[in-house]
Amino acid sequence: MRIGFHTDAFNSAYWSFDKCLEWANRNGVHFIECGLIDGVSWIHGLGYQPHVALYEDPVLLRRKMDRLAVRFSQVDAAFPLSGQDGPLRGVPYVMKSIAWAAQAGCTSVDTTDGMRAPEGLTDREAMELMRRSYRQILEIAEGHGIVVNIEPHGYFTTRPDYLEEMLAFSDSPLLRMNFDTGNTFIAGQDPVAFLKRFLGKVSHVHIKDVSPSLAAAVRGGQTGIAVSHCALGDGVNAGSIRECLKTLRDADYKGVLSMECEGQGGAMIERSLKWLRSCLDDLGIRRDPEDL
């Protein structure tokens, strides 16, 4: 398995994406995941946001990343597709992200739904809307050979029966799942059982712990965690993470484990990295040779 991280870790530190690349290189982390920005943002333009804009040339960025031995595991285009503005705003955004990712040497794009039931639509209407949207998106994905992952992060995707239907919107092998240990937990699900149900669809994994205080306050009443302010191994989800890693090991998963936690300018995510590496070693899970 390969270890990566989401640059959300450095939102609070106001780092640039370039600074995240340097951190990855220093710490021997060779896979990175970031959000994509469709347009111009002042905070990003000033260098205070650790994500990438679609106007940035993907080939030149890939060359810069190659020099630092860092690659994209996934790019995040998770505008919620379940609302009435999903087809208007979300679908074109995801389509542009797919074409950009292909040029950047990235093999997958992350997508999801909204955290609440969409206003003005029944559940069935929203599901049919997303069915049409994903079929349009997959036409572009097929052309570029890019995996479209659905992440459990919202009202529909953290409910296993709905997610199962979504993953069957198309028979394309490029429609896959980004499993998230923290979102499934905070939504009131058992992360291990959730993973086992969809194991054959998993192509990318977010590793996220949950603090005791957050779990006590909102578990079962929230569908996702923006950024977990808890180092891996320090929260109430650590045991489930270990069991999920065992399940992935036994299924011969060879993809990326992308850490999603607050970075605290490096200190917290470095604790998370140390714990995750130790956990993989304890479980007899082979790490990518570059990560050793």
Side-chain angles (χ1 to χ4, degrees), residues 104-177:
C106 177
T107 59
S108 62
V109 171
D110 198 24
T111 67
T112 195
D113 60 331
M115 66 176 71
R116 299 181 183 88
E119 292 184 12
L121 295 173
T122 65
D123 286 4
R124 183 44 45 193
E125 287 170 339
M127 287 291 287
E128 291 307 313
L129 179 146
M130 286 194 289
R131 185 189 309 275
R132 292 191 294 273
S133 293
Y134 272 102
R135 287 179 174 175
Q136 287 180 294
I137 287 166
L138 283 161
E139 286 184 25
I140 304 302
E142 293 278 1
H144 291 280
I146 298 295
V147 169
V148 176
N149 281 320
I150 299 177
E151 177 179 346
H153 206 311
Y155 174 82
F156 294 98
T157 52
T158 55
R159 300 178 183 212
D161 290 345
Y162 277 138
L163 179 58
E164 184 171 28
E165 183 178 346
M166 291 176 69
L167 289 167
F169 279 165
S170 168
D171 59 5
S172 171
L174 295 178
L175 183 59
R176 304 291 298 279
M177 177 185 175

Side-chain angles (χ1 to χ4, degrees), residues 81 85-96 133-134 136-137:
L81 295 174
D85 58 351
L88 175 66
R89 305 186 193 282
V91 171
Y93 168 54
V94 176
M95 286 177 169
K96 284 187 276 188
S133 293
Y134 272 102
Q136 287 180 294
I137 287 166

Side-chain angles (χ1 to χ4, degrees), residues 12 22 36-37 45 70 73 75 82 86-87 119 129 139 148-149 173 176 195 205 211 219 244 259 265 287:
S12 65
E22 293 166 4
L36 292 181
I37 302 165
V70 182
S73 65
V75 288
S82 53
E119 292 184 12
L129 179 146
E139 286 184 25
V148 176
N149 281 320
R176 304 291 298 279
L195 172 61
V205 176
S211 69
R219 189 177 187 206
C244 285
M259 298 181 293
R287 289 190 266 140

Side-chain angles (χ1 to χ4, degrees), residues 6-83:
H6 199 303
T7 58
D8 275 347
F10 297 106
N11 282 342
S12 65
Y14 297 101
W15 281 17
S16 66
F17 183 74
D18 283 354
K19 194 167 182 178
C20 292
L21 290 176
E22 293 166 4
W23 179 88
N25 178 264
R26 281 198 312 273
N27 287 275
V29 178
H30 299 282
F31 292 89
I32 195 168
E33 179 183 5
C34 73
L36 292 181
I37 302 165
D38 186 9
V40 174
S41 161
W42 66 271
I43 195 168
H44 168 262
L46 289 169
Y48 297 131
Q49 197 169 48
H51 305 291
V52 174
L54 289 171
Y55 65 74
E56 297 181 63
D57 189 275
V59 174
L60 296 181
L61 179 58
R62 184 180 66 197
R63 291 174 183 169
K64 179 190 293 184
M65 292 171 67
D66 286 345
R67 290 193 292 270
L68 292 169
V70 182
R71 310 195 283 281
F72 281 117
S73 65
Q74 179 169 259
V75 288
D76 198 335
F79 185 94
L81 295 174
S82 53

